[in-house]
Amino acid sequence: GVTRDKILKAIHHQSFTISLEPMSIESIKKGFYDGVFISSTSMGSLPISTVDGIKIPMACDKIGLIHNQIRDWEIESLP
């Protein structure tokens, strides 16, 4: 919940778009996504490079910006 909210806020802050719909193998094969990630409390956003052996483009620059934005906010909130 908390990490998800931070990620959604960072995505909005970076003016990126996000799909919260379930992914289909067909949409992955067609290259519909420019990046896919999962969220984790300890790591923030983690890129996914393959699903069932199908390569997914690595939008690491975007995922990295999201990750860094969240870490920046966390550092700013330290006393």
Side-chain angles (χ1 to χ4, degrees):
V2 173
T3 302
R4 180 183 184 274
D5 289 343
K6 288 178 183 179
I7 289 172
L8 292 175
K9 181 180 173 185
I11 288 168
H12 177 72
H13 182 81
Q14 297 291 335
S15 299
F16 296 152
T17 58
I18 186 168
S19 172
L20 300 176
E21 301 296 320
M23 295 171 45
S24 69
I25 295 298
E26 291 78 27
S27 63
I28 294 170
K29 286 179 180 178
K30 291 178 183 176
F32 183 75
Y33 306 100
D34 62 353
V36 176
F37 65 89
I38 59 173
S39 64
S40 161
T41 299
S42 61
M43 296 301 293
S45 54
L46 304 167
I48 297 173
S49 60
T50 61
V51 173
D52 286 343
I54 301 167
K55 289 191 176 210
I56 299 173
M58 295 293 292
C60 289
D61 54 332
K62 289 182 179 180
I63 295 169
L65 286 170
I66 294 165
H67 180 82
N68 291 338
Q69 183 66 61
I70 293 168
R71 294 295 180 233
D72 288 349
W73 287 333
E74 290 172 348
I75 290 169
E76 289 172 6
S77 69
L78 294 175

